[in-house]
Amino acid sequence: MVSAGSFADDGSADNGTAVDFRGNPVDKSKTGGWLGAGLILGTEFAERVCVMGISMNLVTYLVGDLHLSNSRSANIVTNFMGTLNLLALLGGFLADAKLGRYMTVAIFATVAAMGVSLLTIATSVSSMRPPVCADFRKKQHECVVASGGQLAMVFASLYTIALGAGGIKANVSGFGTDQFDIRDPKEEKQMIFFFSRFYFCISLGSLFAVTVLVYIQDNVGRGWGYGISAAAMVIGVLVLLAGTPRYRYRRPEGSPLTVIWRVLYLAWRKRRVAYSGDASELNEYHTSKVAHTERFRCLDKAAVTESKNQSPTKKVSVACTLTQVEEVKMILKLLPIWSTCILFWTVYSQMTTFSVEQATYMNRNIGRSFVFPSGSLSLFLFLSILLFTSLNEKILVPLAARITHNVQGITSLQRVAVGLVFSILAMIVSAVVEKERRMHVNKYRTNISAFWLVPQFFLVGAGEAFAYVGQLEFFIREAPERMKSMSTGLFLATLSMGFFLSSLLVSLVDKATNGGWLKNNLNKGRLDYFYWMLAVLGVINFMAFLVFASRHEYKVLNYSMNGEGKELGAIKDEEIVEEKTVGVDV
């Protein structure tokens, strides 16, 4: 196994050069490319089978087996998914600071395998559940709720899984892109399609989880379903380790959080230091890896080395380099877009909670004997993702590339914009369907088909095919190279905040309406009002996104003849001859 020490500063390669598992310059014919990326995708496939096999059907276990309320069960699921994605920041930090992406993925994949194994035990042992209660949703007052000890075992399992999966998610996509050399036109083109194929692959894992695993959980046993997830995770770890000689590696370059804190601290500390505004006065201006930009000029003082009021021999004792200052500026430029991506995942979380619970109140019979599992309705979400991901790669991107004469075709922010529109439409459809479902139950005493929910799953899936790929590409490509894992964690934090926001909204709405909208019995509540509220919030959020996206300037890489790169932000005309930054794209 490769250790972090394999990438120590031994002079074999600089920080921007890929090395093999022995620390030597890579042989591109034997490492990286789709050869290495394909093995890495196997680990993410296993992670998705594990996580989606749990989260998409967990609410039915919490309500039906542990006898918890709808609102509490929904919050447990969203808090689990929120914590999972938030812990991606920890995984990204460890990879960038010390361990490297490969080692971090290997360690956290092992932790995830341990967590799902623990959950298998927790759901298989009968003493870990309260007594069975027939028709719980109608006779809740007669049923015993799970005890604190029983819930503790479930929570310990879930948050162990969250820790492991978070570390995987923060690094697996970045490690995948490490397998391509963007200075090679052929490999750069391959990497453009990596993000779509990456998501296509993990959507296949999700599809398997919500069909085969959910059916096994509902009809064979939870222990069997989660046991298969544990086995998949173990196999994923073994596949990752087997590919060790085939990967390209980049050495960790120190904690990016330390750099960010140091720049912000010194900029504040030197806020009164005189600075003429001439960038050439900044520390290591002429050797900077990143061109100077005019945005956030207040941070430039962190790189000031001399004050006008000081003698030439009296320097300010501590100064950041211009490269460090500009890297922090790049991260700050991502935050406005980051903030407007959160609500999409709040909408998405409804597909794992209330939409699944809706299905349990609807007619799920197919023929005379087969009952479609409520958790398997997510099948249509992932079919939609697979469909639109394929259409994007095969039709939309090539067509857009021919029209715009840009190899990227549709930009990352344009993808996100399309995803946000789909999420708004999904909530409108959800509200209409829930109103119709409730009317049929209360007025006509009939249950409409659960397949009325398919359009909302389909729309959210279509939105995710655009939003997930667009956000992932945006945060990885726009962040500084040495902060790639942390920027992936930043992207995953939007998922985290989206799930946490869902929990917050559920709690606030439940309190504000005195339980009137989100009752334990959905037939007596007004879930459609909650969906309408999310649709309105979505419109407001989309308008804010358009404002921020119209002001964003994409980072451009300008390569010299010897292949060494320089990251460019808002580039001055005299610093670049043929390449220009992309301005408004939405």
Side-chain angles (χ1 to χ4, degrees), residues 507-529:
S507 298
L508 292 177
V509 167
D510 197 45
K511 185 174 182 179
T513 63
N514 198 24
W517 286 13
L518 305 175
K519 290 182 177 294
N520 289 333
N521 186 340
L522 292 184
N523 294 334
K524 298 180 180 180
R526 294 309 306 256
L527 181 60
D528 53 327
Y529 288 174

Side-chain angles (χ1 to χ4, degrees), residues 47 51 79-88 159 161-163 165-167 169 496:
E47 181 271 334
V51 171
N79 287 339
F80 161 65
M81 293 299 293
T83 302
L84 186 156
N85 289 288
L86 187 62
L87 286 170
Y159 287 101
I161 295 168
L163 175 63
K169 293 171 78 67
S496 173

Side-chain angles (χ1 to χ4, degrees), residues 386-556:
L386 292 171
L387 173 63
F388 279 92
T389 301
S390 300
L391 290 177
N392 285 344
E393 181 172 333
K394 301 297 183 182
I395 300 177
L396 182 58
V397 171
L399 179 62
R402 285 197 295 268
I403 294 174
T404 63
H405 304 291
N406 182 345
V407 68
Q408 190 179 1
I410 181 173
T411 66
S412 54
L413 290 183
Q414 287 170 343
R415 291 177 188 266
V416 176
V418 174
L420 292 178
V421 171
F422 272 118
S423 71
I424 296 170
L425 295 176
M427 287 297 93
I428 294 174
V429 170
S430 298
V432 172
V433 170
E434 172 58 15
K435 181 179 180 181
E436 189 73 13
R437 183 202 68 78
R438 185 173 175 275
M439 182 186 70
H440 273 76
V441 169
N442 294 331
K443 187 174 182 179
Y444 304 116
R445 304 300 176 185
T446 59
N447 291 320
I448 63 175
S449 171
F451 294 102
W452 276 62
L453 299 174
V454 169
Q456 65 201 58
F457 280 96
F458 188 84
L459 287 170
V460 171
E464 187 178 0
F466 284 95
Y468 191 105
V469 175
Q471 290 178 43
L472 180 62
E473 180 182 359
F474 176 77
F475 284 101
I476 286 183
R477 292 174 69 100
E478 291 300 291
E481 175 62 28
R482 66 173 176 175
M483 297 185 182
K484 186 185 291 187
S485 292
M486 196 196 78
S487 66
T488 306
L490 188 65
F491 152 61
L492 293 171
T494 65
L495 281 73
S496 173
M497 293 299 104
F499 284 108
F500 284 139
L501 179 59
S502 176
S503 295
L504 177 63
L505 289 176
V506 167
S507 298
L508 292 177
V509 167
D510 197 45
K511 185 174 182 179
T513 63
N514 198 24
W517 286 13
L518 305 175
K519 290 182 177 294
N520 289 333
N521 186 340
L522 292 184
N523 294 334
K524 298 180 180 180
R526 294 309 306 256
L527 181 60
D528 53 327
Y529 288 174
F530 183 73
Y531 286 147
W532 279 118
M533 180 190 73
L534 289 179
V536 172
L537 290 175
V539 172
I540 297 172
N541 181 72
F542 181 68
M543 299 304 294
F545 171 82
L546 291 180
V547 172
F548 294 141
S550 66
R551 297 176 179 177
H552 181 78
E553 293 177 315
Y554 282 102
K555 181 183 74 176
V556 176

Side-chain angles (χ1 to χ4, degrees), residues 1-3 6-7 19-24 244-247 249:
M1 184 184 294
V2 177
S3 67
S6 300
F7 309 111
V19 296
D20 63 17
F21 74 112
R22 292 188 177 93
N24 301 318
T244 298
R246 302 290 185 178
Y247 304 136
Y249 305 87

Side-chain angles (χ1 to χ4, degrees), residues 209-286:
V210 301
T211 51
V212 177
L213 290 188
V214 167
Y215 179 83
I216 292 174
Q217 290 167 13
D218 285 355
N219 295 277
V220 180
R222 292 277 169 170
W224 284 99
Y226 294 148
I228 293 174
S229 295
M233 202 65 248
V234 171
I235 293 172
V237 173
L238 296 177
V239 169
L240 177 73
L241 298 179
T244 298
R246 302 290 185 178
Y247 304 136
R248 298 175 189 173
Y249 305 87
R250 293 187 185 274
R251 295 175 299 178
E253 299 181 44
S255 168
L257 294 179
T258 302
V259 174
I260 294 172
W261 166 251
R262 189 165 183 264
V263 169
L264 295 176
Y265 170 72
L266 289 180
W268 170 257
R269 178 182 167 186
K270 298 182 182 183
R271 64 191 183 278
R272 294 188 176 89
V273 172
Y275 168 49
S276 67
D278 182 358
S280 63
E281 297 178 4
L282 301 178
N283 188 24
E284 297 189 13
Y285 172 79
H286 296 290

